[in-house]
Amino acid sequence: HVQLVESGGGSVQTGGSLRLACTVSGYSVRSYCMGWFRQAPGKEREGLAVVNTRSADTYYGDPVKGRFIISQDNAQNTLYLQMNSLEPEDTAMYYCAAGDGRTSISNYRYCDLAAVTFGSWGQGTQVTVS
């Protein structure tokens, strides 16, 4: 049973930066995909960034491309999200997630930002930008 615990959230001014961390435990085989999502009040959960834990390939959602960076420290079992140039629209609860990704018709396995492909979720950490 994978357990995910986020940290690093807080309040920051517009244009500032934060780095979120997600510690992962309770697994025997590392999940194929790790990702970051967020949800603001009254809005749907939004996929931000995902990393293929085997190849280290990354993929970003349009709202955060060029501003956020996802990375992993396998030795520390930690996933990070470096967030730069923060805007008030980035205010939300941020979640990390682990999942098995998708398999294409040609049996190619890949990661994307669809929340349904992630089976394990953390409790979230609040980010407020003003």
Side-chain angles (χ1 to χ4, degrees):
H1 176 63
V2 177
Q3 294 179 318
L4 309 171
V5 179
E6 303 95 337
S7 62
S11 297
V12 65
Q13 291 187 338
T14 299
S17 298
L18 282 174
R19 188 175 80 155
L20 305 183
C22 173
T23 56
V24 186
S25 62
Y27 64 92
S28 58
V29 177
R30 187 177 44 176
S31 296
Y32 194 82
C33 307
M34 295 291 298
W36 287 98
F37 293 76
R38 69 185 179 191
Q39 188 166 18
K43 295 188 177 181
E44 293 187 355
R45 188 164 293 190
E46 177 181 31
L48 304 177
V50 63
V51 60
N52 179 319
T53 63
R54 306 302 195 265
S55 69
D57 288 342
T58 58
Y59 181 75
Y60 295 90
D62 288 341
V64 304
K65 280 181 182 176
R67 299 191 299 127
F68 290 11
I69 301 171
I70 189 171
S71 62
Q72 55 179 346
D73 183 334
N74 294 330
Q76 298 295 324
N77 293 329
T78 303
L79 181 74
Y80 296 100
L81 184 68
Q82 177 66 43
M83 306 187 296
N84 302 318
S85 301
L86 285 163
E87 305 164 350
E89 293 74 22
D90 295 316
T91 295
M93 185 70 78
Y94 284 69
Y95 301 88
C96 72
D100 296 327
R102 297 182 192 268
T103 303
S104 70
I105 294 176
S106 57
N107 209 33
Y108 172 74
R109 199 169 181 186
Y110 63 97
C111 304
D112 64 17
L113 291 174
V116 294
T117 65
F118 291 83
S120 298
W121 295 82
Q123 293 300 306
T125 185
Q126 177 68 37
V127 171
T128 302
V129 185
S130 60

